[in-house]
Amino acid sequence: MDKPMMPQTRRLYFEDAYSLEFEAVVLEKRTYEGSPAVVLDRTAFYPESGGQPWDKGTLGGVEVLKVLDLDAVILHVLRADVPAGRVRGLVDGPTRFDHMQQHTGQHILSQAFFEVLKGETLSFHLGADVSTLEIGLRAVSDADLDRVEDRANAIVREDREVKTYFVPEERIGEVPLRRPPKKQGLLRVVEVAGFDYSACGGTHCRRSGEVGLIKVLGYEKIRGNVRFDFLCGSRAVADYRVKDRGLRRIAGLFSAAPKDAAAQVEKLAADLKSLRKRSCRLEERLAAFDAQEIIRGASGRIIAAVLPDRTPEEARFLALNIIRSGAFAVVYGATGEEQAHLILARSESLTADLRLLIPVVSAVVPVKGGGGPSLVELVTPAKDKLGAAVEAARAWLEAHQDEPR
Ligand SMILES: [Zn+2]
């Protein structure tokens, strides 16, 4: 029932989804979350609804920030106020057409899922980059998915008419809807001729051919169902372009055909894994060898140096190799990417508590870190004073020599 005193917005996008310019009268001015907003007597702007985002564009030259469906009226939230009276609206064409492609493609894909796998559509979201479709399936195989995609793209190729018409609620039973309607009263039916019948208030292409390529990108299991990502039309072409160029670059690295690139990368990853293992073993052997060399050249139990060619990890590894080979105390300095590291280590057969070195070192450079009696690791931002810090630690150890137990 119409309430004659209440304002109503005529939805021009129901009548013609391709009409982007219109003239309207401002019926009411409101504010929405601090922004000015207007109700018009008619609008071509689609409001956020049914998983489809609102249209972009301008009213009286002012940017439309958001469009809301308040049942009887549509609220346009604006960047700035517009004068009362007549106003000219302009819907952004590329965004509108993109939404039409994604939404019409969704109807076709939903029906293809139902036809091929008896999978019912549970929800749809038209995203800024990718759209999603949740289907009532426990699982899906690649072969099944290919059949669904092929069926959907066959409907596109057949260039079927996409009709919209209104049916009173009491006669909706005569229309073979894919899903029962969520609304009451006069229902808007969108029919991809002879293929899919949906109750829907969105904007759609007039022929299935305009949807272009329909491509499912991937899926994940969610709430016991399967949620698919998909792209239609220009989005699918843009995605194909990016992936094709990326794959060609990868294939070029192997002088392989794009179809063989994945196998080449898998082989490379396996090679890398075994080389890493081998490199690890070699590093261990080298460190043991280095430790023996250093021990041979040492004049006492204390070994202290800045190691300019080693990473802190390598310095720590070397220190541990030395203290395991005899009764030694080691002070190594090594520079990492951000900070300098000081590694203080001693054999278990010695007794000095290396934590006593922390105040000694911190008198020379600011340090953070700590450790136990036989192993302390400190870091300092003062890379240029690393030599002085190592020397201070060495001097302390010389003055506090202990004998092996
Ligand atoms: Zn629709």
Side-chain angles (χ1 to χ4, degrees):
M1 282 287 287
D2 282 0
K3 294 175 191 158
M5 296 310 289
M6 289 287 285
Q8 283 264 348
T9 307
R10 184 173 149 197
R11 297 164 191 247
L12 299 170
Y13 58 85
F14 273 175
E15 298 160 31
D16 182 0
Y18 295 79
S19 179
L20 304 172
E21 285 184 62
F22 65 101
E23 280 225 355
V25 175
V26 177
L27 294 183
E28 231 187 285
K29 287 196 178 193
R30 300 187 189 179
T31 54
Y32 178 84
E33 291 179 353
S35 294
V38 292
V39 171
L40 306 175
D41 67 333
R42 60 213 313 261
T43 187
F45 278 92
Y46 182 79
E48 183 177 30
S49 173
Q52 181 178 332
W54 63 90
D55 281 325
K56 293 177 183 170
T58 56
L59 269 185
V62 172
E63 187 189 353
V64 174
L65 300 177
K66 193 168 185 176
V67 189
L68 291 104
D69 190 344
L70 306 180
D71 285 337
V73 299
I74 289 171
L75 190 66
H76 305 75
V77 183
L78 302 169
R79 172 80 63 197
D81 200 10
V82 292
R86 296 196 75 78
V87 68
R88 189 157 187 80
L90 187 61
V91 173
D92 178 69
T95 308
R96 160 64 68 84
F97 189 67
D98 169 57
H99 290 175
M100 286 157 65
Q101 282 189 315
Q102 310 313 313
H103 198 148
T104 313
Q106 176 261 310
H107 285 232
I108 296 170
L109 194 56
S110 283
Q111 178 60 25
F113 267 112
F114 188 72
E115 213 186 75
V116 177
L117 303 175
K118 289 282 168 276
E120 288 190 37
T121 293
L122 303 174
S123 71
F124 158 58
H125 175 72
L126 201 172
D129 301 312
V130 173
S131 300
T132 57
L133 203 51
E134 189 177 334
I135 303 285
L137 290 172
R138 293 270 157 220
V140 70
S141 68
D142 283 353
D144 282 345
L145 199 48
D146 289 352
R147 284 163 62 215
V148 171
E149 256 183 22
D150 287 347
R151 181 59 176 146
N153 284 294
I155 298 298
V156 170
R157 209 160 46 242
E158 288 163 17
D159 196 25
R160 298 191 186 207
E161 190 184 351
V162 180
K163 299 180 258 193
T164 57
Y165 43 86
F166 286 88
V167 177
E169 191 184 352
E170 58 273 16
R171 292 189 57 197
I172 199 69
E174 297 166 24
V175 182
L177 289 182
R178 176 164 39 79
R179 300 167 80 184
K182 285 181 185 161
K183 296 190 175 177
Q184 280 132 25
L186 201 57
L187 295 164
R188 185 171 185 254
V189 174
V190 177
E191 176 188 345
V192 180
F195 179 66
D196 182 59
Y197 301 79
S198 297
C200 182
T203 53
H204 307 83
C205 301
R206 55 167 80 94
R207 302 198 69 89
S208 66
E210 287 185 12
V211 173
L213 178 63
I214 297 177
K215 186 76 192 79
V216 176
L217 297 187
Y219 53 86
E220 59 177 331
K221 290 182 181 175
I222 178 169
R223 295 183 283 264
N225 303 306
V226 185
R227 188 171 66 193
F228 296 88
D229 287 344
F230 72 96
L231 300 173
C232 300
S234 305
R235 290 190 187 191
V237 173
D239 183 62
Y240 186 5
R241 191 174 288 147
V242 167
K243 286 175 180 167
D244 182 57
R245 284 183 185 149
L247 192 59
R248 281 175 191 284
R249 273 176 63 192
I250 294 167
L253 296 174
F254 298 99
S255 304
K259 69 177 173 54
D260 300 324
Q264 293 281 355
V265 172
E266 278 166 3
K267 186 177 171 298
L268 182 70
D271 287 353
L272 188 62
K273 200 174 165 188
S274 86
L275 278 173
R276 279 211 178 113
K277 268 190 188 165
R278 192 161 175 235
S279 155
C280 220
R281 281 200 306 274
L282 288 173
E283 271 171 32
E284 279 170 24
R285 284 170 61 184
L286 187 62
F289 180 79
D290 282 352
Q292 293 312 316
E293 280 285 286
I294 289 162
I295 288 166
R296 258 197 294 282
S299 54
R301 296 199 187 287
I302 298 159
I303 295 167
V306 173
L307 305 176
D309 300 327
R310 291 183 199 255
T311 65
E313 292 71 32
E314 288 166 347
R316 185 191 314 112
F317 199 58
L318 182 59
L320 295 176
N321 266 283
I322 293 169
I323 62 169
R324 281 189 206 118
S325 305
F328 295 101
V330 180
V331 180
Y332 274 155
T335 305
E337 275 174 27
E338 304 271 311
Q339 307 195 86
H341 290 235
L342 270 149
I343 293 109
L344 312 166
R346 65 145 170 85
S347 306
E348 287 303 323
S349 58
L350 297 177
T351 54
D353 186 344
L354 297 182
R355 290 172 297 189
L356 297 173
L357 274 165
I358 298 173
V360 175
V361 173
S362 66
V364 183
V365 289
V367 293
K368 280 186 183 167
S374 62
L375 181 65
V376 170
E377 186 160 351
L378 303 172
V379 294
T380 175
K383 293 181 179 180
D384 54 329
K385 290 188 182 159
L386 186 59
V390 168
E391 181 50 31
R394 191 199 58 78
W396 187 91
L397 286 168
E398 294 281 3
H400 298 79
Q401 291 249 20
D402 60 356
E403 287 303 315
R405 283 178 286 201

